[in-house]
Amino acid sequence: IHVGIDEFGVPVHTRIIYRNLLAAGEPGSGKSGLMNILTAHAALAAVSRLVLFDGKQVELGMWDHIADEFVGPDLDHAIITLLRLQRVMDNRYAWLRAHGRREIQPRDNISVITSVFDEIALFSTVLGTEQQQRQFITLFRDLVARGRAAAMPVIAATQRPSIDIIPKSLRDLFGYRAAFRCTSTGSSNIILGDGWSESGFDATDLRPTNQGTAYLIAEGGTPQLIKVAYLTDADISGLADYAAWTRDTRSLTRSPAPAHFA
């Protein structure tokens, strides 16, 4: 997936399948640009489905008519949707075990289900009761931990990169992490990993006027300074309408998926 350019103007790509991506940074730092670029690619990809969680309803709202499920500021709805995703994931792992396999592969012609979460903290600390919030975090962690091999990647973002929102055990499940401008070196390290700020990769150094700039780190790599590609509202609306048209066209010729993948 093309996400933007590096500091030398060279295109930057990420591979989301079999990976998860976490983005964090202060409000207005450009996270929504990255989220919409990734959502656009997932929407336009063949054999691809979307599940969107957006408590503000506007960051991902223009994609709602092509998503299998769009979850707004309703924690009950979020939990029910995560339980459904968990059931699909369990079914896929049962299928893999029955066929002596460890991961879904392209030749299986099984849809990739990408779950996109805008603002994890809203679901985990603000909406609903404390018990519901704990259930949400448990189900979210399970999806992040087990979804990769089942072709169910997770893309998530938060404005609050703190240890109570993103504990290290959860952070390390994300193969890709993008740190947009942060207000403290501690927040930068929570996203990129301990010690990176001290090594010169500090998201507090990013200028607030340079929106869309972030440090992107991949599994086992070094943070890379990038500038995320930007989509206007008109771009997103046009891409969403085109994605809807291509999905309607494919549905006329595509054979139905097995019942246990529905």
Side-chain angles (χ1 to χ4, degrees), residues 242-262:
Y242 179 73
W245 177 80
T246 58
R247 285 162 180 258
D248 288 343
T249 303
R250 287 198 299 263
S251 68
L252 297 176
T253 57
R254 195 171 119 196
S255 58
H260 56 285
F261 292 128

Side-chain angles (χ1 to χ4, degrees), residues 27-100:
S29 57
K31 297 183 304 298
S32 63
L34 177 61
M35 302 297 282
N36 276 292
I37 282 288
L38 298 174
T39 303
H41 277 276
L44 293 169
V47 198
S48 173
R49 295 158 66 182
L50 279 170
V51 178
L52 306 177
F53 297 77
D54 182 2
K56 291 185 291 185
Q57 303 186 78
V58 294
E59 298 297 346
L60 303 172
M62 283 185 280
W63 303 102
D64 64 345
H65 61 294
I66 63 168
D68 279 26
E69 197 74 31
F70 183 88
V71 179
D74 184 338
L75 195 51
D76 280 331
H77 188 190
I79 289 170
I80 290 170
T81 302
L82 283 172
L83 286 169
R84 291 172 60 194
L85 287 168
Q86 188 180 60
R87 175 61 62 88
V88 173
M89 185 167 57
D90 289 341
N91 288 343
R92 291 188 174 195
Y93 275 112
W95 184 86
L96 285 170
R97 182 181 179 186
H99 289 79

